[in-house]
Amino acid sequence: MKKVFYLLIVMFGLISCSTDDDYCGNDYYETYKLNEQRPSPTSNLQVIGLQGDSFTVIRSEHEFQDRVRGAEYYRGQIDWRNEDLIIGQVYVNGFRSVINFNSIFKESCNNRNDNYLRMKLNLSNGQYNGYITYHAIVRKLYNTNTQVTTDIEIFN
């Protein structure tokens, strides 16, 4: 009986010590986006207090509503128990509008390594200069240390 008990303890220990889930520590995966709502497209959302080309990780509906202008149009689209929102801005010269954007994410499983978000923005050519807001909905993060790379392509 003791051997069975020790075997169960060892098996439970191996299962409970695993930090890997479907995404953690694996390769890049495609992220989700908010469903576009009028009159406030996601590229016009503004994060209060965000300076320059930067981003933040938002972890709750309360924080989303408090920190993001236009968030009221996107209430209830994120399952905050299982997901976080990475939202940022990048300054672009010579665009007219956002055609689309896509992102991929790679999550690290420990606090010493960074997560990586690669954001690709496709824009139409024009005369506007200004900040464009981007975002990605990712699985609830084990660690929020993240590096974001933005690739911008402007089409005629």
Side-chain angles (χ1 to χ4, degrees):
M1 185 67 166
K2 266 187 173 179
K3 289 181 183 179
V4 172
F5 178 73
Y6 287 123
L7 181 62
L8 288 173
I9 289 175
V10 170
M11 288 176 56
F12 179 72
L14 291 174
I15 292 169
S16 65
C17 289
S18 174
T19 60
D20 196 18
D21 61 19
D22 290 344
Y23 299 96
C24 183
N26 294 326
D27 206 2
Y28 284 92
Y29 68 90
E30 194 170 341
T31 65
Y32 298 102
K33 299 187 268 190
L34 294 166
N35 294 323
E36 198 74 29
Q37 301 294 314
R38 299 291 177 208
S40 181
T42 59
S43 59
N44 289 346
L45 294 173
Q46 294 178 351
V47 182
I48 298 167
L50 209 54
Q51 303 270 324
D53 288 1
S54 59
F55 69 94
T56 188
V57 177
I58 295 185
R59 302 191 60 131
S60 70
E61 183 73 37
H62 183 293
E63 183 181 5
F64 183 46
Q65 297 300 321
D66 280 354
R67 294 196 57 207
V68 180
R69 288 191 189 121
E72 64 272 13
Y73 298 105
Y74 297 93
R75 190 179 309 273
Q77 288 194 24
I78 300 173
D79 176 4
W80 296 102
R81 292 169 297 155
N82 299 310
E83 298 170 328
D84 287 331
L85 176 70
I86 300 173
I87 186 167
Q89 63 187 22
V90 62
Y91 191 84
V92 180
N93 288 312
F95 72 96
R96 182 169 43 100
S97 63
V98 176
I99 299 170
N100 64 28
F101 66 91
N102 297 302
S103 59
I104 56 175
F105 185 75
K106 183 175 184 177
E107 183 178 359
S108 170
C109 296
N110 67 51
N111 289 325
R112 289 184 300 272
N113 295 332
D114 290 344
N115 303 314
Y116 294 97
L117 177 68
R118 295 193 56 157
M119 181 66 57
K120 181 171 181 167
L121 300 165
N122 296 318
L123 311 174
S124 61
N125 193 16
Q127 297 180 18
Y128 295 119
N129 301 320
Y131 284 100
I132 295 174
T133 302
Y134 59 83
H135 71 277
I137 300 170
V138 298
R139 300 231 342 165
K140 193 57 92 173
L141 297 174
Y142 176 73
N143 110 51
T144 58
N145 302 329
T146 303
Q147 291 186 29
V148 175
T149 303
T150 54
D151 298 320
I152 300 167
E153 193 166 344
I154 299 179
F155 297 92
N156 287 328

